[in-house]
Amino acid sequence: MSAVHVIHENPAWLGPFAEAFETAGVPWRELRADEAVLDLSAVPPEGVFYNRMSASSHTRGHASAPEMTRGVLAWLEAHGRRIVNGPGALDLEVSKLRQYARLARAGVRTPRTLAVADPADLPRVAAEAFGARPFILKPNRGGKGAGVALLRSPAELEAHLSSPVFTPPVDGVNLLQDYVEAPFVTRAEFIGGRFFYAVRIETAGTFELCPADACATPAGPRFEIVDTIDPRLRRAFEGFLAANDIEVAGIEFMVDGAGQAWTYDVNTNTNYNPDAERRAGRSAPLALARYLGSLLDEERPARAA
Ligand SMILES: Nc1ncnc2c1ncn2[C@@H]1O[C@H](COP(=O)(O)OP(=O)(O)O)[C@@H](O)[C@H]1O
Ligand SMILES: [Mg+2]
């Protein structure tokens, strides 16, 4: 039977989507990237494939999941299967460098960022780029804010790099970035390539802003849904998504004291905050399930013909 196949590796994030598929009456199955056994001579099942591979998979012991997913997507493409968030999305999910290059191409402003291949160069590069100003260190392959640090000087960076809190990035690439000072960040959610809603997140000093219930902590950040963002930014984001094979994403930006928006993170594997949704009477998981269901309906007659 034809179904929506969800490609993922973190069952803790799947609950709200399972419920939404149920409510929307959309048949679905899991395709676990961390447990997949791929027989390349087999024909993929019928249906629509929704890729939710996450940049932070290595933090759950699933370091091979991105590579496995790349192979699965190539196999699906070879058979002409409909993929939501295809290879282009996965390519950006695992690299902020590539995200920023593509955002710039779409006319979206990103904070000044320097990618550094050899960690020994980090203090020198930071001193040259930022002088005495504070700056951000983050891994190229991010996720959940892991490894993101605000540093006040090259000396502080040196101490940080040799402290036990520092874990080298899984792909070896460190990013140094302009620090943007703002009381909150905004995460704009897109479904089917179109703006759905935005979440304003009061960071309260933490950089770990994963919205899923599975990530919640008592003193964590506060999430509040807002219905609009600057229409020019919204159009630029939608253009960026269309150009990069992305239909579902949460895009994060900050607005500085001068009113300038800085975009710094694209989450093609996005999670929604259930408390904020309840308060606002919105459901992104349901909208997503219906969207995927509509694609499934389009597929069925096409296959039968
Ligand atoms: N350049 C920056 N200036 C200020 N805060 C930042 C900057 N970059 C990231 N942050 C903070 O750290 C959080 C996590 O960083 P992000 O780039 O989104 O990494 P991840 O992919 O791990 O979510 C952001 O949501 C924001 O609160
Ligand atoms: Mg982020």
Side-chain angles (χ1 to χ4, degrees):
M1 191 187 70
S2 184
V4 171
H5 301 265
V6 181
I7 304 170
H8 78 114
E9 52 73 44
N10 186 7
W13 281 339
L14 219 61
F17 301 99
E19 228 172 87
F21 283 127
E22 199 69 27
T23 306
V26 175
W28 73 288
R29 292 208 174 75
E30 284 183 68
L31 201 169
R32 285 281 295 267
D34 56 315
E35 296 173 347
V37 176
L38 177 59
D39 176 357
L40 280 168
S41 64
V43 174
E46 295 293 334
V48 169
F49 292 77
Y50 166 44
N51 161 36
R52 279 183 57 79
M53 227 306 300
S54 157
S56 62
S57 59
H58 61 281
T59 65
R60 290 177 287 279
H62 301 157
S64 65
E67 187 53 29
M68 189 68 188
T69 303
R70 232 172 247 128
V72 168
L73 296 181
W75 172 66
L76 294 172
E77 276 192 319
H79 290 272
R81 289 294 180 272
R82 175 71 166 92
I83 305 172
V84 171
N85 283 5
L90 178 57
D91 193 56
L92 297 200
E93 173 70 15
V94 296
S95 171
K96 284 202 166 55
L97 263 184
R98 294 199 289 266
Q99 289 176 20
Y100 296 164
R102 293 306 178 91
L103 284 166
R105 196 195 263 188
V108 177
R109 201 183 296 258
T110 59
R112 183 185 179 201
T113 304
L114 296 108
V116 181
D118 184 346
D121 290 333
L122 284 166
R124 179 184 55 78
V125 174
E128 285 168 8
F130 309 108
R133 285 180 293 126
F135 57 89
I136 294 278
L137 172 74
K138 63 171 78 169
N140 179 49
R141 182 183 303 179
K144 303 189 299 180
V148 180
L150 169 62
L151 298 157
R152 308 242 163 228
S153 67
E156 207 178 294
L157 172 62
E158 259 191 285
H160 176 77
L161 294 173
S162 53
S163 82
V165 297
F166 176 71
T167 315
V170 66
D171 65 0
V173 178
N174 283 287
L175 306 184
L176 293 169
Q177 189 168 85
D178 260 345
Y179 172 55
V180 181
E181 213 169 340
F184 59 87
V185 308
T186 305
R187 180 165 167 142
E189 296 292 350
F190 296 82
I191 296 172
R194 308 289 304 275
F195 177 78
F196 185 67
Y197 64 48
V199 212
R200 192 171 137 156
I201 312 170
E202 279 174 36
T203 57
T206 175
F207 288 163
E208 305 202 355
L209 303 174
C210 163
D213 239 4
C215 303
T217 54
R222 287 176 16 93
F223 298 84
E224 192 194 333
I225 287 173
V226 291
D227 288 322
T228 54
I229 57 169
D230 173 359
R232 265 174 315 175
L233 194 58
R234 171 188 168 156
R235 276 196 296 276
F237 284 157
E238 288 176 346
F240 159 79
L241 297 175
N244 288 285
D245 191 17
I246 305 171
E247 291 167 79
V248 183
I251 306 182
E252 294 176 30
F253 63 94
M254 279 178 273
V255 179
D256 68 14
Q260 179 65 57
W262 300 94
T263 300
Y264 59 88
D265 189 21
V266 177
N267 305 278
T268 68
N269 168 61
T270 191
N271 289 297
Y272 309 106
N273 186 257
D275 289 337
E277 288 206 329
R278 225 168 287 138
R279 286 195 303 272
R282 307 289 302 270
S283 174
L286 191 55
L288 177 56
R290 289 190 175 132
Y291 174 65
L292 294 169
S294 74
L295 298 181
L296 199 57
D297 291 340
E298 284 170 21
E299 279 301 287
R300 280 176 181 141
R303 294 262 153 212

